[in-house]
Structures are given as C-alpha cells and as structure tokens.
Amino acid sequence: MQAFAPLLIAVGGVPALLAAVRYAYAAGGAQARGLALRWAWIALAMFLGAAGLHWAGGDEGRTMAIAVAMVVAVNALLASVVLHLRRGKRER
C-alpha cells in the first residue's frame, strides 16, 4: 500500500509529459519550445517526487520533506508556464 501514492503521482505526471511532447512538435516557434521545456520539467519534478516518496517508504519526516519539495517545485514551474504565456501575449 505504500507504493500506491508514488504510483498515483507518477501517473499524474504523464499528462505533463504528453503536453511537453505536444508543444515540442508544435510549429509555434520560441514560445512553443519554452512551453515544452517547462512542461517537461514539471513531469520530471513529478517523477522524481514519486521516486523520492517510494524511497522514503514509511519514514514520516522524509515523506513530508519530499512532498513539500515536490509541491513547491511543481507550483513554481506552473507559475513559470503562466508567466511565459503572458510574456508571449505581450510580444505579439
């Protein structure tokens, strides 16, 4: 049962990876490449967070530290996506 949460988080990272692939193959120029890179970082943060949670096992302190780090990283990267999109609208 301890592997359920990391598995759920890893499966949740797959849509971010698919978004990265979609933007990587889009013919949108620099903004699409930037979005693809940011979505790939989000997927990587989620996959690494899932691996870290699996590694932490039942240790409550490690689990909490890894979960907080993953939440902060993913939210910071999502803010980066929003700012990148806003910057692209201003340049048009």
Side-chain angles (χ1 to χ4, degrees):
M1 194 63 175
Q2 289 179 353
F4 184 68
L7 180 65
L8 196 61
I9 291 171
V11 169
V14 172
L17 187 62
L18 294 176
V21 170
R22 178 181 171 265
Y23 282 113
Y25 288 110
Q31 185 174 16
R33 286 191 308 270
L35 285 173
L37 182 63
R38 284 163 175 81
W39 280 110
W41 284 344
I42 290 170
L44 180 65
M46 291 184 77
F47 293 149
L48 289 176
L53 286 176
H54 183 69
W55 168 77
D59 188 5
E60 203 170 311
R62 287 184 194 165
T63 301
M64 186 61 69
I66 291 170
V68 167
M70 182 183 62
V71 166
V72 168
V74 170
N75 283 322
L77 288 166
L78 282 173
S80 174
V81 167
V82 171
L83 291 174
H84 187 74
L85 285 171
R86 289 182 69 191
R87 190 176 334 133
K89 285 185 181 180
R90 265 197 328 245
E91 291 175 358
R92 286 185 191 175

